[in-house]
Amino acid sequence: MPGITNISILGCGWYGSALAKALLASGMQVKGSTTSAVKLDDLAAMGIKPYVVNFLPNQEIYDADFFNCEVLWIAIPPKTRGGEGSIFLEKIKSIIDAIKRHQIENVVFISSTAVYADSNKHVNEQTDPQPNTESGRILLEAENLFLAESGFKTTIIRFAGLIGPARNPGRFFAGKKEIPNGDAPVNLIHLDDCIGISKAILAKQAFGYLFNGCSPDHPAKADFYTRAAMDSGFEKPEFIRELNEWKIVDSLNTSAILDYQCSSL
């Protein structure tokens, strides 16, 4: 990865930690953040230079050295189910202020395909997102806050549903009955492809772009999750074979710009 050696990852959760490990294995220097001091030793044990970073209402907790980086990777969820949606956008505004204050040139923001409504059609990076969920609306607004800034370049990755280690899709519906919309196509991406797309962005220094991250396969929800449950030895779920709202997430830019193809399900 010529030219880029120093990455800071804001949010070392399931994806952020896996990305940090992959970048460390590539010989890069990685700083990682947590909001809890008790997790500092866990990050350090992975080889990550750990920092407590927390943007709270009317309070910012961080070491300026964390923002001394060539690329800032932002992988923090809005946590709308926990009632933190409104706080999330204020947090993003504070992060943007810190980016400008520390003159970071390149930012990668992890978003979600939830910004696309289930509009019964194919969607891609050229589709006008019209989110119909709270998380989708908040993430799209966060994206726009980054894109409104001209002092640095922001690449946005919209990941589909995440599967992989500790996120076995066989568990998602195991044993459940009368699950609606069983014929709706799934939109998923494996952690390996999340990392593959991320490394390709760095390798090609593809900053200032939008990428959808999603497997090209879109089997019916009933077929995919039943097979996943059975393959993992879980109780078979039962779906209602109906097709209500749906979408199929395609990517134009991932293959065209990054020359990367996500794996089949």
Side-chain angles (χ1 to χ4, degrees):
M1 297 178 187
I4 297 176
T5 60
N6 182 4
I7 308 291
S8 287
I9 301 176
L10 183 62
C12 288
W14 183 77
Y15 158 77
S17 294
L19 175 62
K21 290 178 183 178
L23 298 182
L24 287 166
S26 299
M28 305 189 75
Q29 299 175 5
V30 180
K31 301 172 185 177
S33 81
T34 175
T35 58
S36 173
V38 299
K39 297 181 181 178
L40 291 173
D41 288 344
D42 293 338
L43 296 183
M46 289 186 271
I48 302 167
K49 190 174 182 181
Y51 294 82
V52 171
V53 179
N54 206 357
F55 289 89
L56 302 168
N58 304 315
Q59 185 182 20
E60 297 180 1
I61 302 169
Y62 69 86
D63 184 327
D65 186 59
F66 176 79
F67 289 98
N68 179 19
C69 59
E70 294 166 278
V71 182
L72 176 65
W73 219 276
I74 302 170
I76 53 174
K79 296 182 180 179
T80 52
R81 292 180 181 177
E84 298 180 23
S86 59
I87 298 174
F88 181 76
L89 291 174
E90 293 304 315
K91 185 181 297 186
I92 292 298
K93 292 175 184 177
S94 297
I95 293 168
I96 289 173
D97 287 342
I99 291 168
K100 293 190 289 187
R101 194 157 53 241
H102 296 282
Q103 299 181 324
I104 298 172
E105 295 182 0
N106 298 305
V107 173
V108 177
F109 176 65
I110 301 303
S111 185
S112 165
T113 56
V115 299
Y116 303 111
D118 288 341
S119 52
N120 301 343
K121 64 182 182 181
H122 286 250
V123 297
N124 58 49
E125 294 94 340
Q126 295 179 359
T127 302
D128 179 25
Q130 297 181 347
N132 57 359
T133 64
E134 182 185 8
S135 61
R137 286 190 289 268
I138 288 172
L139 283 169
L140 183 60
E141 191 169 343
E143 289 182 12
N144 289 333
L145 288 172
F146 283 106
L147 296 178
E149 298 294 332
S150 59
F152 56 89
K153 291 182 179 179
T154 300
T155 280
I156 294 168
I157 312 176
R158 294 172 177 165
F159 284 138
L162 302 170
I163 60 174
R167 293 199 179 193
N168 180 351
R171 293 182 179 273
F172 292 0
F173 294 102
K176 295 183 179 180
K177 312 294 184 184
E178 297 187 357
I179 305 163
N181 213 18
D183 286 334
V186 301
N187 297 285
L188 299 168
I189 184 170
H190 194 279
L191 179 61
D192 290 345
D193 285 316
C194 295
I195 302 305
I197 290 172
S198 303
K199 292 178 69 175
I201 288 169
L202 288 173
K204 293 184 177 293
Q205 299 192 25
F207 301 111
Y209 294 96
L210 168 64
F211 298 104
N212 285 344
C214 188
S215 170
D217 290 347
H218 304 275
K221 182 165 68 172
D223 297 335
F224 176 80
Y225 286 107
T226 298
R227 174 168 53 85
M230 302 299 285
D231 288 348
S232 297
F234 299 122
E235 185 180 352
K236 181 180 177 181
E238 295 180 7
F239 291 84
I240 301 172
R241 299 307 301 238
E242 62 183 1
L243 182 61
N244 298 320
E245 290 84 8
W246 58 274
K247 67 188 172 212
I248 288 180
V249 176
D250 299 321
S251 177
L252 303 177
N253 293 345
T254 305
S255 56
I257 297 171
L258 300 179
D259 193 25
Y260 188 90
Q261 179 68 44
C262 289
S263 57
S264 300
L265 294 176

